[in-house]
Amino acid sequence: MISFFKPSSPDKGHNILEKPPKKKAIDLKNTFKLVKSQVSLYHFAWILTIFLFQMFIFLVFFITNHGPISPSPTQQFSPIHVQEKDHHHHQQHHHEGVVIHQLDPPPPSDDDDGEKQQKVVTRMDFDGDNNNVKKPLDEQVILHLPPPSDDDKEQEKCKYGKVYVYDLPPMFNKELVKNCSDLDPWKSKCPAVSNDGFGPNATATLVGTVPEELTQSWWWTDMFSGEIIYHIRMLHYKCRTTEPESATALYVPFYAGLAVSKYLFTNYSTKERDFPCERFLEWIKDQPYWKRSNGSDHFLMLGRMTWDFRRKTDDDWGTKFLSMPLMKNMLKLAVEENRWDPLEISVPYPTGFHPRSVSEIEKWQEFVRRRNRTNLFTFVGAKRQKVENDFRTLLFDHCFNESDSCKLVDCVKTRCSDGSPAIFEAFLYSDFCLQPRGDSDTRKSTFDCLLSGSIPVFFWEGSFKGQYELFLSSEPDSFSVFIDRKEVRNGTSVRRVLEGYSQENIKKMRNKIIEFIPRFLYSFSNEGLGNAKDAFDIAIEEVLQRMVKKPSVTGQ
Ligand SMILES: *[C@@H]1O[C@H](CO)[C@@H](O)[C@H](O)[C@H]1NC(C)=O
Ligand SMILES: *[C@@H]1O[C@H](CO)[C@@H](O)[C@H](O)[C@H]1NC(C)=O
Ligand SMILES: *[C@@H]1O[C@H](CO)[C@@H](O)[C@H](O)[C@H]1NC(C)=O
Ligand SMILES: *[C@@H]1O[C@H](CO)[C@@H](O)[C@H](O)[C@H]1NC(C)=O
Ligand SMILES: *[C@@H]1O[C@H](CO)[C@@H](O)[C@H](O)[C@H]1NC(C)=O
Ligand SMILES: *[C@@H]1O[C@H](CO)[C@@H](O)[C@H](O)[C@H]1NC(C)=O
Ligand SMILES: *[C@@H]1O[C@H](CO)[C@@H](O)[C@H](O)[C@H]1NC(C)=O
């Protein structure tokens, strides 16, 4: 009886007070009839109903006043979290060219949840070979796990389920980071993979470009370092479980992009190029939880564009990883997705700003909102003389010709790769920034542009269509401009098109972009930013939701 009245009574009572729609009246009548049929005595039914309702009110009152020890779940949670954030000062430990940053411990708290936390820690052996680093890291991890929570809160916190993180043989991840000088045929990737994937400290180089108090949250993050960033975050994820049988999703931290980067473009045989991925599939296919689902509850993060893993013919570049049969059920996160593959989700390229708190994000938002933008648009790039009819050369010349409204950053004269503040300077002073396609349709530069509060101008549909919709918007017109490259080739002036946007229009788009900023960032803290969701949180929640929605293959 109680379970019958609990959900229905408040709802219906509310509807009666408002103008009751006919359908609701019938519902009520049915409910009433049901009560009547269950309890044959008419008056007794009414007395019982009133009695139960009173009991219910009393019970609710009792629970809210005496249930949890502290006032309310929300009040209990946030202040502890905020306080914790203040203690996230980082230290650096150098180890064979790889810098590992870690957290200072907060003051000891009287956790009564020690047992559960201890269990998590025993799995955190990412730095397994290095005992000097491992021990303090583990200790700090214990202290940094979220405050104790009762089961209800735990369930609310992880309402989409939990993630299990595979502990892979080191050759699939940490050995690649360790062998960083060997990842790229042309230059060492050691700076790029340092600091847990954040890259070199950018504090000193950005003084004067970004607000003084935010310089410490900037790094020269490599566009392909997402595999490391996601892995580290996942090890500290609030909804991580160490028991695969209780996991909704199983995360495979194979650094596929780093593993193949050396082989993609140079003269390696297709066999050599596919070898690292084949070796990984050989390993995973024998794992019991893989066999249980054939990979359909597994996912991985690709730090490179999907096309690097989808070689069509043997004369082509790239690997065949994603067309290998064992990969057909697995969900993939990638910095550029194949929008015709329903099992791919594009996630933002990492930018250099990794805020430590919500307040830092707010400061940055205010900073970009208030800027005096003296240029209408900006173009960062170089002429490619060798490419006939090169579109970038066309934009370069246009920007050069319109120098009273376009800020040109010539990448032949200025260093445009990570480590130079010139690009940010340009974006921060411009209303629009031109984003022609690069080696692929999407570019990391688009996120640098957005982060600077500048409006991206696309020339290829593939640069925005179907990409990053979870993080930005499925309405690209609300925050970007599209000018078909054919029209530009045909004499349409980019400047004229952009001058067609009113100040009010520009402001509206910029406000939209500023609103998105927290959603496409990767925060500094391994535990995320508390209640504010960053790109990692959004991506993983999407993964979990998709796993829940899809019909179970496990047959449990
Ligand atoms: C890393 O380098 C070591 C020593 O040269 C080598 O034995 C190992 O196979 C390399 N690992 C990977 C994943 O390249
Ligand atoms: C980055 O470098 C600056 C000095 O250039 C230093 O003050 C700061 O502590 C460094 N940040 C980290 C996290 O090591
Ligand atoms: C690439 O390798 C093949 C066979 O290994 C060789 O015949 C060819 O000359 C090489 N090409 C270049 C550009 O090195
Ligand atoms: C996994 O795939 C194999 C080979 O296609 C098939 O025989 C098996 O039934 C599949 N298992 C599940 C759980 O779908
Ligand atoms: C922007 O320019 C206006 C007028 O030129 C000036 O009054 C204002 O102080 C400037 N704001 C900033 C943040 O520089
Ligand atoms: C730039 O100006 C030169 C000289 O006026 C002209 O020949 C050229 O077509 C212009 N290029 C573009 C892309 O506007
Ligand atoms: C390009 O311009 C020519 C002449 O103005 C016109 O006939 C043609 O339709 C245009 N093409 C496109 C793709 O706009």
Side-chain angles (χ1 to χ4, degrees):
M1 280 302 261
I2 285 174
S3 63
F4 170 73
F5 275 101
K6 237 160 99 182
S8 51
S9 56
D11 232 331
K12 295 212 160 99
H14 182 74
N15 275 323
I16 288 165
L17 294 176
E18 321 262 328
K19 265 190 245 157
K22 255 198 182 134
K23 198 156 176 275
K24 288 287 169 195
I26 290 164
D27 277 358
L28 189 75
K29 230 163 97 188
N30 289 341
T31 310
F32 182 67
K33 268 189 192 152
L34 194 67
V35 172
K36 211 173 138 185
S37 67
Q38 295 214 345
V39 188
S40 54
L41 288 173
Y42 178 81
H43 294 290
F44 180 61
W46 271 110
I47 291 162
L48 188 69
T49 309
I50 291 163
F51 174 69
L52 283 172
F53 188 67
Q54 278 178 343
M55 285 298 285
F56 175 59
I57 299 274
F58 176 73
L59 214 70
V60 166
F61 184 75
F62 185 82
I63 287 167
T64 40
N65 275 285
H66 302 271
I69 295 145
S70 9
S72 83
T74 36
Q75 275 172 349
Q76 190 187 18
F77 214 76
S78 29
I80 295 172
H81 234 86
V82 168
Q83 196 192 17
E84 211 184 23
K85 290 284 167 284
D86 292 336
H87 295 278
H88 286 190
H89 304 301
H90 283 225
Q91 295 173 341
Q92 306 220 334
H93 289 257
H94 296 260
H95 169 57
E96 298 187 18
V98 182
V99 185
I100 297 151
H101 70 234
Q102 47 177 269
L103 308 165
D104 275 340
S109 61
D110 40 0
D111 286 350
D112 56 10
D113 205 17
E115 208 183 285
K116 203 191 233 159
Q117 294 175 356
Q118 198 65 47
K119 205 157 40 175
V120 175
V121 167
T122 57
R123 306 289 308 193
M124 296 210 184
D125 48 1
F126 183 66
D127 294 294
D129 311 346
N130 187 345
N131 291 324
N132 291 340
V133 172
K134 188 186 173 190
K135 205 163 176 208
L137 183 66
D138 280 358
E139 274 164 22
Q140 288 165 17
V141 164
I142 297 175
L143 295 165
H144 263 271
L145 283 172
S149 54
D150 57 60
D151 280 353
D152 275 358
K153 230 190 301 156
E154 181 82 6
Q155 219 148 50
E156 175 55 26
K157 196 173 71 175
C158 303
K159 60 181 172 213
Y160 305 117
K162 295 191 180 177
V163 181
Y164 172 77
V165 183
Y166 269 91
D167 190 10
L168 299 182
M171 66 179 164
F172 297 124
N173 46 41
K174 62 182 170 185
E175 225 175 73
L176 293 162
V177 173
K178 216 191 233 170
N179 293 3
C180 53
S181 57
D182 195 32
L183 290 176
D184 184 304
W186 300 288
K187 62 172 201 256
S188 166
K189 287 292 242 181
C190 294
V193 300
S194 65
N195 288 319
D196 285 354
F198 282 175
N201 183 338
T203 302
T205 40
L206 284 172
V207 169
T209 304
V210 308
E212 185 81 40
E213 69 268 35
L214 297 180
T215 51
Q216 52 154 358
S217 293
W218 279 83
W219 310 77
W220 293 116
T221 306
D222 187 78
M223 64 196 233
F224 296 139
S225 63
E227 289 158 359
I228 307 170
I229 294 173
Y230 272 73
H231 187 193
I232 304 284
R233 278 292 290 281
M234 196 65 86
L235 291 172
H236 299 257
Y237 188 45
K238 61 180 200 253
C239 297
R240 178 185 171 200
T241 174
T242 53
E243 291 145 6
E245 55 281 0
S246 67
T248 302
L250 292 89
Y251 168 59
V252 191
F254 169 42
Y255 298 170
L258 293 186
V260 306
S261 57
K262 177 172 150 184
Y263 305 101
L264 285 174
F265 303 107
T266 48
N267 198 13
Y268 283 96
S269 69
T270 54
K271 212 170 160 187
E272 284 168 306
R273 278 185 265 166
D274 291 338
F275 175 68
C277 297
E278 267 165 0
R279 188 166 60 169
F280 157 71
L281 289 173
E282 274 301 304
W283 184 88
I284 195 93
K285 80 172 170 37
D286 293 330
Q287 302 302 308
Y289 288 94
W290 176 275
K291 284 198 207 149
R292 190 182 73 172
S293 65
N294 277 345
S296 68
D297 51 4
H298 285 53
F299 73 101
L300 92 171
M301 161 69 189
L302 298 170
R304 301 186 68 98
M305 296 78 70
T306 186
W307 311 111
D308 287 340
F309 306 100
R310 292 177 175 275
R311 186 183 65 235
K312 288 225 173 68
T313 67
D314 280 355
D315 321 321
D316 233 338
W317 55 279
T319 79
K320 266 194 130 122
F321 185 38
L322 296 184
S323 36
M324 291 175 187
L326 280 165
M327 285 303 291
K328 85 170 187 275
N329 297 321
M330 200 158 163
L331 190 61
K332 285 93 54 184
L333 300 174
V335 290
E336 177 177 332
E337 72 175 58
N338 169 8
R339 66 187 141 111
W340 294 277
D341 182 342
L343 290 182
E344 259 178 47
I345 301 170
S346 52
V347 299
Y349 287 91
T351 65
F353 182 42
H354 302 287
R356 291 151 201 258
S357 64
V358 172
S359 123
E360 283 196 357
I361 297 182
E362 285 165 354
K363 276 190 194 134
W364 180 259
Q365 287 172 310
E366 263 329 280
F367 170 69
V368 297
R369 198 193 308 277
R370 284 162 185 269
R371 288 196 67 79
N372 277 336
R373 296 184 187 253
T374 45
N375 305 308
L376 178 65
F377 62 118
T378 188
F379 178 69
V380 177
K383 288 192 189 197
R384 293 187 297 184
Q385 311 286 14
K386 278 190 232 148
V387 181
E388 206 181 323
N389 239 336
D390 178 35
F391 189 69
R392 278 194 261 185
T393 301
L394 193 66
L395 293 180
F396 188 103
D397 289 342
H398 180 63
C399 186
F400 184 80
N401 284 4
E402 309 288 348
S403 62
D404 56 329
S405 67
C406 185
K407 166 84 183 158
L408 181 65
V409 180
D410 181 354
C411 293
V412 171
K413 295 192 190 125
T414 313
R415 219 171 108 216
C416 289
S417 53
D418 295 326
S420 153
I423 303 169
F424 279 103
E425 295 269 357
F427 288 165
L428 284 165
Y429 279 104
S430 304
D431 280 329
F432 297 92
C433 48
L434 308 188
Q435 296 292 335
R437 87 186 286 275
D439 293 326
S440 70
D441 279 354
T442 63
R443 301 176 75 191
K444 182 205 178 202
S445 174
T446 301
F447 288 96
D448 290 336
C449 167
L450 290 166
L451 181 61
S452 309
S454 193
I455 301 163
V457 181
F458 298 121
F459 303 91
W460 272 261
E461 245 189 8
S463 299
F464 58 88
K465 200 162 185 180
Q467 306 286 343
Y468 320 116
E469 288 184 350
L470 288 171
F471 309 89
L472 305 174
S473 151
S474 49
E475 289 160 12
D477 286 352
S478 67
F479 68 92
S480 66
V481 171
F482 175 61
I483 308 172
D484 197 309
R485 63 196 172 281
K486 285 181 230 117
E487 285 171 34
V488 178
R489 285 194 196 282
N490 220 7
T492 296
S493 157
V494 172
R495 177 184 182 164
R496 290 284 114 68
V497 174
L498 298 181
E499 277 173 347
Y501 285 84
S502 66
Q503 277 310 307
E504 201 181 317
N505 227 321
I506 290 173
K507 200 172 157 192
K508 219 165 122 191
M509 290 166 105
R510 175 165 311 120
N511 283 340
K512 206 88 203 154
I513 289 167
I514 290 171
E515 194 186 298
F516 298 148
I517 285 177
R519 303 176 59 82
F520 63 75
L521 289 173
Y522 294 96
S523 82
F524 178 72
S525 163
N526 286 329
E527 284 88 25
L529 292 169
N531 293 330
K533 285 176 190 164
D534 72 352
F536 173 86
D537 294 317
I538 292 168
I540 304 308
E541 277 192 10
E542 175 70 11
V543 168
L544 285 166
Q545 279 178 278
R546 289 209 193 179
M547 296 288 182
V548 171
K549 272 185 216 148
K550 134 186 103 46
S552 171
V553 195
T554 63
Q556 277 180 335

